[in-house]
Amino acid sequence: MYQQNSTTPKELFGVLAAGAIVLLVVHTLGRFVYTPLLPYLIGDGQLTAPEGAAIATWNYFGYLVGAMLAIRWHRVSHIRILLPAFLVVHVLTTIFVTQTDNLTAISTARWLNGVANGVVFVQAPALILEWLVLRNRSSMSGLVYIGVGLGLLLSSGLVTGTADWLEGAERWWPVALASIPLAIWGAYRLMKLEVPDQESAKNGKSTTNTPLIDRASIPLFLSYAGAGLGYILPMTFLPLLAKLELDAEHWLLDGAWLIVALSTIPAAWVWNKLGSKMGDIPALKLNFLIQLVGVVAAVVLPGALGIMLCAALVGGTFLGTVLLTQRLGRALHPHQGPRLSAAMVALYGFTQMVGPWLTKQWLDAGGTLVSAFGIGVGALVFGLIFVFFVPRPEAWHARTIQHD
């Protein structure tokens, strides 16, 4: 078995920084930049609100497709080809939307951008986790998600900082130009990683055909589905909720998203540390509880206090859910790392599409946006319950050995 236990702090930092940067590029300069951009694009007359929502749905659908592609092409040899290729797709589609006002063209480009996001969001952390496992550093894997928190702040700054001198489609130029050097450096650094294509079992046979779905992974999948549906409602509708509940000049109209961004920045480090100290399963239970309090706050405390609590607590937890669940999946199924990660992201992506759709049905039926957040509360309770059915990896493997 290939094993390399030693690595320098400088090398570790370089690898984690490269992973953080490619996630920053595809997930925040790709996906989440659309949240602060959309009000400006509507204000410029390029899009209507329903058209903006439709474009967002196409982007979410692309993310789901990208994650499913990553399930099919999950080996390290596939990642070495697809990861840089889809970073190129991200850059080209972002440049393309600077040049058109055509709704179909924008929707197609945003769908493709979502595909790139889905593939890279699976493959970069999966590749880095495999590299870290070989060096006995898997407890550091969650730090790669720091890129998402920093990216939320960067994307917001790029949009608001250039708002006065750009208009319509050209508002995409700052994120397009920022993506190019970041994507090139991140891809170059990750492609240099020494990771074998496939690890073999002691008997010499391939072990990648072990079941992806079993009694250990099913509750983890169900828990993750609840997390995806629970977090996407505030992450999609919190600025709109602020607009509905607060005065026109209230600082939280822009400030709610800023609170989310600032809360997200330390989240990966905090939850990575907590998972290492108290165990990933206890940390995941705590994570769900805090996130649940955040969404409940938006429902039972209408107004500024509820919005602030929701922004801070959901912003400070959702990345923790991702990194803890991904690491647990890898620990339960060591030979299914990239494939399991892809399946989880696909499920997460699907629930993120379901959330806004359910909200629309609720609003069309006469419900309020505040009460729609109750869907998120229910989803997080569902997710928390199933965390209690996830076996500890060491206990699960001990059981398997006994049965063998």
Side-chain angles (χ1 to χ4, degrees):
M1 177 179 143
Y2 178 97
Q3 185 79 31
Q4 182 180 330
N5 291 322
S6 62
T7 185
T8 65
K10 182 181 177 183
E11 188 180 15
L12 273 173
F13 176 80
V15 172
L16 291 168
I21 280 173
V22 297
L23 293 190
L24 182 156
V25 168
V26 296
H27 208 58
T28 55
L29 300 186
R31 168 188 277 204
F32 280 130
V33 72
Y34 191 65
T35 301
L37 261 178
L38 187 57
Y40 289 108
L41 298 177
I42 292 171
D44 293 340
Q46 188 197 34
L47 303 172
T48 64
E51 287 170 347
I55 290 168
T57 303
W58 278 110
N59 184 251
Y60 282 22
F61 177 55
Y63 181 73
L64 175 61
V65 171
M68 294 180 76
L69 287 177
I71 299 175
R72 171 64 183 84
W73 287 292
H74 61 275
R75 289 173 51 161
V76 172
S77 56
H78 300 146
I79 294 173
R80 292 192 189 284
I81 296 167
L82 292 180
L83 194 150
F86 276 104
L87 281 167
V88 171
V89 170
H90 161 84
V91 169
L92 292 179
T93 52
T94 309
I95 291 174
F96 178 79
V97 291
T98 68
Q99 302 300 306
T100 182
D101 293 323
N102 181 277
L103 183 64
T104 304
I106 296 169
S107 297
T108 304
R110 292 299 291 162
W111 175 79
L112 261 175
N113 191 274
V115 175
N117 183 11
V119 171
V120 175
F121 197 79
V122 170
Q123 290 190 342
L127 180 67
I128 289 168
L129 180 54
E130 296 303 307
W131 184 85
L132 289 168
V133 166
L134 290 169
R135 288 152 182 83
N136 293 332
R137 293 288 193 278
S138 61
S139 64
M140 301 183 74
S141 61
L143 297 177
V144 73
Y145 294 100
I146 287 174
V148 178
L150 292 172
L152 285 174
L153 209 56
L154 175 63
S155 60
S156 180
L158 286 171
V159 171
T160 56
T162 59
D164 292 341
W165 41 281
L166 296 176
E167 189 176 349
E170 62 190 21
R171 292 189 185 278
W172 287 95
W173 270 117
V175 289
L177 294 174
S179 293
I180 295 169
L182 295 174
I184 290 170
W185 184 81
Y188 170 75
R189 190 70 183 77
L190 292 181
M191 291 309 96
K192 287 169 62 180
L193 292 186
E194 290 181 32
V195 183
D197 186 38
Q198 194 171 39
E199 192 176 312
S200 295
K202 290 174 184 174
N203 61 6
K205 294 180 181 177
S206 170
T207 55
T208 54
N209 291 324
T210 54
L212 188 66
I213 307 293
D214 61 13
R215 201 165 64 78
S217 62
I218 285 173
L220 195 63
F221 274 112
L222 290 172
S223 164
Y224 207 41
L229 180 53
Y231 109 94
I232 200 61
L233 289 167
M235 287 296 284
T236 304
F237 297 113
L238 196 60
L240 181 59
L241 186 66
K243 188 176 180 182
L244 291 174
E245 292 192 346
L246 303 174
D247 297 334
E249 301 300 316
H250 202 289
W251 69 273
L252 274 174
L253 296 185
D254 291 322
W257 192 248
L258 181 63
I259 292 171
V260 171
L262 291 172
S263 303
T264 305
I265 290 170
W269 182 86
V270 168
W271 290 106
N272 193 71
K273 195 79 173 171
L274 283 172
S276 302
K277 292 287 184 188
M278 62 192 293
D280 285 343
I281 292 177
L284 190 58
K285 291 173 184 174
L286 177 63
N287 178 282
F288 265 95
L289 275 171
I290 294 171
Q291 200 165 173
L292 185 56
V293 170
V295 184
V296 167
V299 178
V300 301
L301 296 170
L305 181 59
I307 289 166
M308 286 172 65
L309 282 171
C310 186
L313 297 182
V314 174
T317 50
F318 81 90
L319 283 180
T321 322
V322 173
L323 71 90
L324 291 169
T325 305
Q326 294 283 359
R327 196 158 65 201
L328 268 170
R330 174 64 174 72
L332 288 166
H333 291 291
H335 305 295
Q336 291 278 20
R339 194 160 164 252
L340 190 72
S341 175
M344 286 184 165
V345 171
L347 178 65
Y348 208 53
F350 174 73
T351 57
Q352 287 174 59
M353 288 179 64
V354 169
W357 179 82
L358 281 175
T359 303
K360 183 178 184 300
Q361 306 311 307
W362 181 257
L363 296 175
D364 288 348
T368 64
L369 187 60
V370 174
S371 59
F373 272 54
I375 298 168
V377 172
L380 288 169
V381 170
F382 175 89
L384 175 60
I385 289 169
F386 277 100
V387 179
F388 285 87
F389 292 93
V390 179
R392 287 184 300 112
E394 55 271 28
W396 176 253
H397 293 307
R399 172 190 170 280
T400 306
I401 291 166
Q402 286 169 8
H403 281 70
D404 290 345

